[in-house]
Each structure stands twice: as structure tokens, then as C-alpha cells.
């Protein structure tokens, strides 16, 4: 690979060579470079459809790369400081699943966790194989990943990092530490979020002594055999862009987020939080590119502000939960757009603010685990009305998405506190997922 540098984009270059060859396609996909589906071609454009192609010798194969995809993955590994990188086209969810399956995980620890809590969990579960850490959380909070990694390795456990929202940690200055930089074993990175690639494209990074061949086998158990070259090439192009210009890109993003935070905090009633939350433990660091805003003091849940912004101001933010909203800022944003957001938030406060009495905060509810998740999920269960589920064992997930953090997981006891939270989230308009009943009027509970 001596001829390749970060200026290279092997997949992009191979696709351009392929286009110039004017090959007659008697392979899939059946739209035959767009000729067979004119409506789709008119919508997406001929340039897009001509590179929506199948694996072939000149373009390599994602399941067993030996040429241009292999080279592109090696360049990505170098750019991210990993021993190896795998291109993932089933989204970061698939990358996280592959990490877990590669490690035979039995213990997962996510969100901003104190090192002492992690140590206690490790000591209580000596047979566990790995520790799973979000770096950062959706809101921008980071754990002390270096200390957790050292602690886990001391107990012969792997460290798996879900870096769905941490691509920029590898390229920006003054940002929290990346998983690879502190010696974590694996990381799932959503290149399509802050990295600029197409939706559903991600990287799985591998460090230390984990077998590349074994991890590839695990990936191929669940990843499609028809990898999209639109997604693969977008990973290649985006990696090159970040390697060459990432530092200046994320400097600008951080400055825009800081500007917006200052303006929003001047409105009053909102709290756009940042590094002042750092306590050296459960909030070890904060991702300053995240524009997370607490809305409770204007008497509105985050999801209510989210809906008003979309329905009345034509502003689509990333998500709203019971207490917060998150506006995702990237290099594609402009100060003008941020000013429009600030103005809308100011007007929403003026028009809709009310007393916050009776509002729930989103304090963490410590789960009461009665059965193992696998046992509970596969146990015989029955649909139970919410009001009749108190004290029962949950047989499915209940999550607000985004951010997708479980309110209930299989095997947990359904408590009054949990039921209050679910009902409140429904009332405020949160999008609840994971349940068989799409309206979440009933929960699957383990038969007694």
C-alpha cells in the first residue's frame, strides 16, 4: 500500500474507471444502470444510478475484500488510528452487533458512567467478556474511557465503544478522547452522522490483538452480501475529506455550536449546556459540537419544542425527549440557519412558556432486574394493559426513540415509577418503540 496516501480514494477511483469502460450489464441490480427504472433515475439522477452496481472483480467484494475495498479500509484504519477498519453498510447498529458478537459480551455499560460503578459491575460479573461504553452519549457526555479501558483490561475484559456520535473525535482539536487513542479494543463509528457519508454507512474499528479474519466472519453473518457501492464509495470519499480537512471542519463546527449556545442561553428559560457539566467522573468530558438544550424551565418538554419547531417553523432538529432537544450541527450548517433556530426558540418561549409544575425530569431510573434479558425475551409472555402490569416482569423493550435508551428491557420489573414515565412520555408525544403493541397501551409481560 506504499503508493496510497490519504489523498487517495481507491473505491471512487475504481468506480470512475468502471464507468469509462462502458460495460454491458448482464448482472444485478435489475434497473441496469437506471435504464429499467426511469422514474428512479429522474429522481436520483443518472450519475447516482450508474454507480449503483454489484460486486465484481474490478470493484472488489465487501464480504471478502482483496483489492480496492481492502485498500480503502486500510486507509480508513490509518486515518482513525486503528489496526483495522471494516466498511459497514447495514448502519452502526450492525457494527455494534458485530462488536458484541465478536466479544461474546455478557456485560454492557453505557452512557456517562462513573469508574467506580464500572469497577463494581466488573467485580459483580467476573465472567463478563466486555464493557460497552457510549463515546459520547447522544447528548455529548463522555465517560473516562481511558480509565475504564485500563480497568477492563486489568480484568481481562475487552472494551467496546459505541462511537455513533463520535466520528469527529478522531480529527478535531480539543475534543474528547477517541476509543482507539486510549487503547479500546473495538469501536463502531457512524461516519454518516458527523463524518458526512451517506445514511447507513459506518466503520467498525479494531485495535490490539483481535483477529481481523474472525471479526470479518462475524460481520458476514449479518451484513448484506449486496453491499451498496453508493454507501461504500461515500465512506471512501468522506474518509479522505476528514483526513485532509477534518481539523478545520470540526473547528468551525465547534465555533458554530458555541455561538448558538451563547445566544440561546441569553434568551432565558433554556439551558444549552457544555463543559461546565464536567465533574471528572460520570461526566468526564463533553463534546462541544453538540447543541443539547434543556427546555423544562419554559414549562415544555423537549418533544413539545421539537414538534413546534417542525410544525410551525419548518425547522427539523435531531430529537426531543422529556426534557431536552438536540440540534445536530455539522459543516453543512450556516450561521444564518442557527440564527433562525435561535429566533424560533425565543418566539416559542414567548408564545408557549408556562409554569413547569408537574413536569417530569428525565432522572435515571435504576432498573430492577429479575430475569436475564435473553431468558425473559424468549419466555412465554402475554399482552398486559399498562395499568395491570405493575409488579410484572417485562418481556420486551420499551424505548423513546431517539435517543433509543430503554425505559424497560426484558427481565426488568415494571415499577410505578417506570409506568409514570411511560405514560408521561406518551402524553407528551414521544415516539415509543420496541413493543409489539405500536400504541403502547399494552406491554408483553412474562407469564406467571
Amino acid at each position: 500500500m506504499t503508493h496510497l496516501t490519504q489523498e487517495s480514494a481507491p473505491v471512487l477511483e475504481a468506480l470512475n474507471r468502471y464507468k469509462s469502460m462502458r460495460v454491458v450489464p448482464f448482472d444485478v441490480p435489475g434497473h441496469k444502470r437506471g435504464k429499467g427504472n426511469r422514474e428512479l433515475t429522474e429522481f436520483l439522477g443518472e450519475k447516482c444510478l450508474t454507480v449503483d452496481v454489484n460486486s465484481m472483480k474490478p470493484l472488489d467484494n465487501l464480504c471478502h475484500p482483496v483489492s480496492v475495498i481492502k485498500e480503502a479500509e486500510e486507509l480508513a484504519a490509518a486515518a482513525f488510528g486503528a489496526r483495522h477498519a471494516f466498511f459497514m453498510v447495514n448502519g452502526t447498529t450492525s457494527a455494534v452487533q458485530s462488536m458484541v458478537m465478536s466479544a461474546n459480551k455478557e456485560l454492557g455499560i453505557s452512557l456517562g458512567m462513573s469508574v467506580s460503578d464500572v469497577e463494581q459491575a466488573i467485580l459483580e460479573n467476573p465472567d463478563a467478556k466486555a464493557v460497552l461504553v457510549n463515546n459520547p452519549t447522544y447528548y455529548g457526555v463522555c465517560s473516562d474511557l481511558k480509565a475504564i479501558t485500563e480497568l477492563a483490561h486489568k480484568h481481562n475484559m475487552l472494551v467496546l465503544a459505541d462511537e455513533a456520535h463520535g466520528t469527529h473525535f478522531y480529527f478535531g482539536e480539543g475534543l474528547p478522547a477517541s476509543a482507539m487513542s486510549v487503547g479500546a479494543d473495538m469501536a463502531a463509528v457512524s461516519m454518516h452522522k458527523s463524518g458526512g457519508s451517506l445514511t447507513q454507512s459506518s466503520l467498525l474499528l479494531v485495535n490490539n490483538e483481535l483477529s481481523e479474519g474472525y471479526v470479518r466472519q462475524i460481520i458476514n453473518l449479518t451484513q448484506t452480501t449486496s453491499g451498496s457501492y453508493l454507501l461504500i464509495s461515500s465512506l471512501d470519499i468522506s474518509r479522505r475529506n476528514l483526513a485532509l480537512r477534518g481539523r478545520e471542519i470540526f473547528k468551525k463546527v465547534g465555533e458554530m455550536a458555541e455561538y448558538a449556545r451563547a445566544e440561546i442561553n441569553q434568551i432565558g428559560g433554556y439551558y444549552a449546556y457544555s463543559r461546565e457539566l464536567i465533574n471528572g467522573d460520570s461526566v468526564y468530558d463533553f463534546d462541544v459540537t453538540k447543541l443539547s438544550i434543556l427546555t423544562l424551565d419554559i414549562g415544555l418538554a423537549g418533544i413539545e419544542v421539537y414538534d413546534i419547531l417542525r410544525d410551525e417553523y419548518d425547522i427539523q432538529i435531531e430529537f426531543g425527549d422529556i426534557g431536552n432537544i438536540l440540534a445536530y450541527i455539522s459543516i453543512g450548517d450556516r450561521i444564518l440557519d442557527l440564527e433562525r433556530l435561535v429566533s424560533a426558540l425565543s418566539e416559542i418561549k414567548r408564545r408557549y412558556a408556562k409554569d413547569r409544575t408537574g413536569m417530569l425530569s428525565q432522572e435515571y431510573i435504576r432498573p430492577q432486574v429479575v430475569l436475564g434479558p435473553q431468558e425473559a425475551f424468549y419466555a412465554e409472555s402475554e399482552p398486559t394493559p399498562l395499568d395491570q402490569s405493575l409488579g410484572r416482569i417485562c418481556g420486551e423493550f420499551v424505548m423513546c426513540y431517539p435517543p433509543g435508551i430503554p425505559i424497560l428491557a426484558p427481565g426488568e420489573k415494571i415499577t410505578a415509577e417506570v409506568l409514570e414515565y411511560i405514560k408521561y412520555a406518551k402524553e407528551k408525544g414521544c415516539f415509543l418503540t420496541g413493543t409489539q403493541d405500536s400504541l403502547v397501551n399494552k406491554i408483553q409481560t412474562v407469564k406467571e
Side-chain angles (χ1 to χ4, degrees), residues 264-325:
I264 289 165
N265 284 334
Q266 281 187 355
I267 296 170
Y270 297 103
Y271 174 32
Y273 41 91
S274 185
R275 292 177 61 85
E276 72 278 356
L277 295 182
I278 292 172
N279 60 19
D281 193 15
S282 59
V283 185
Y284 184 77
D285 209 344
F286 187 83
D287 175 8
V288 294
T289 71
K290 295 283 188 296
L291 183 57
S292 299
I293 305 159
L294 186 71
T295 64
L296 291 177
D297 280 345
I298 65 165
L300 294 176
I303 187 64
E304 292 175 307
V305 176
Y306 170 98
D307 287 338
I308 295 167
L309 282 169
R310 184 195 59 236
D311 297 342
E312 300 191 27
Y313 294 90
D314 295 326
I315 294 173
Q316 181 62 58
I317 57 172
E318 178 68 12
F319 79 81
D321 64 15
I322 283 178
N324 299 268
I325 57 173

Side-chain angles (χ1 to χ4, degrees), residues 191-369:
M191 278 286 278
H192 66 94
K193 290 190 170 77
S194 59
S197 63
L198 289 178
T199 296
Q200 204 174 308
S201 60
S202 297
L203 295 175
L204 177 57
L205 306 177
V206 172
N207 215 355
N208 306 328
E209 301 308 312
L210 284 174
S211 163
E212 173 194 336
Y214 176 68
V215 174
R216 176 80 68 189
Q217 286 179 326
I218 294 294
I219 290 169
N220 286 341
L221 290 175
T222 56
Q223 178 149 265
T224 177
T225 55
S226 305
S228 165
Y229 275 87
L230 299 177
L231 300 182
I232 294 168
S233 61
S234 80
L235 284 170
D236 195 26
I237 294 165
S238 301
R239 180 272 314 154
R240 180 172 69 176
N241 185 44
L242 294 184
L244 300 180
R245 291 173 282 277
R247 185 171 293 187
E248 62 190 79
I249 285 172
F250 295 119
K251 181 174 183 288
K252 184 179 177 185
V253 170
E255 288 169 353
M256 286 193 292
E258 198 53 56
Y259 164 79
R261 258 192 296 276
E263 292 292 309
I264 289 165
N265 284 334
Q266 281 187 355
I267 296 170
Y270 297 103
Y271 174 32
Y273 41 91
S274 185
R275 292 177 61 85
E276 72 278 356
L277 295 182
I278 292 172
N279 60 19
D281 193 15
S282 59
V283 185
Y284 184 77
D285 209 344
F286 187 83
D287 175 8
V288 294
T289 71
K290 295 283 188 296
L291 183 57
S292 299
I293 305 159
L294 186 71
T295 64
L296 291 177
D297 280 345
I298 65 165
L300 294 176
I303 187 64
E304 292 175 307
V305 176
Y306 170 98
D307 287 338
I308 295 167
L309 282 169
R310 184 195 59 236
D311 297 342
E312 300 191 27
Y313 294 90
D314 295 326
I315 294 173
Q316 181 62 58
I317 57 172
E318 178 68 12
F319 79 81
D321 64 15
I322 283 178
N324 299 268
I325 57 173
L326 172 66
Y328 209 93
I329 299 178
S330 78
I331 194 58
D333 291 306
R334 305 169 299 167
I335 290 292
L336 192 66
D337 300 324
L338 289 170
E339 287 172 348
R340 183 173 163 188
L341 173 63
V342 171
S343 296
L345 290 173
S346 180
E347 203 168 297
I348 288 169
K349 179 194 171 188
R350 181 176 59 78
R351 292 174 61 197
Y352 295 101
K354 54 182 188 277
D355 190 279
R356 67 169 287 178
T357 304
M359 298 197 73
L360 279 186
S361 68
Q362 62 288 13
E363 288 295 317
Y364 175 66
I365 302 173
R366 186 172 291 277
Q368 295 183 26
V369 180

Side-chain angles (χ1 to χ4, degrees), residues 23 40 62 73 77 110 147 170 218 222 261 279 305 310 448:
V23 170
L40 187 65
L62 185 63
E73 288 184 337
S110 62
Y170 290 87
I218 294 294
T222 56
R261 258 192 296 276
N279 60 19
V305 176
R310 184 195 59 236
E448 296 175 332

Side-chain angles (χ1 to χ4, degrees), residues 96 99-100 105 107-115 117-118 121 130-139 141-145 148 159-163 281-283 364 366-367 397 403-406 412:
V96 171
M99 285 199 304
V100 169
K105 183 184 81 71
L107 167 70
I109 298 166
S110 62
L111 306 179
M113 296 294 294
S114 76
V115 177
D117 283 348
V118 175
V131 176
L132 175 61
V133 189
N134 287 60
N135 191 48
T137 68
Y138 223 138
Y139 304 91
V141 174
C142 294
S143 306
D144 187 350
L145 192 53
I148 290 171
V159 175
L160 317 178
D162 181 342
E163 293 189 307
D281 193 15
S282 59
V283 185
Y364 175 66
R366 186 172 291 277
F397 286 97
I405 300 164
E412 291 180 9

Side-chain angles (χ1 to χ4, degrees), residues 88-113:
M88 307 294 293
V89 296
N90 283 22
T92 308
T93 300
S94 170
V96 171
Q97 290 167 346
S98 296
M99 285 199 304
V100 169
M101 290 167 70
S102 297
N104 187 20
K105 183 184 81 71
E106 296 173 24
L107 167 70
I109 298 166
S110 62
L111 306 179
M113 296 294 294

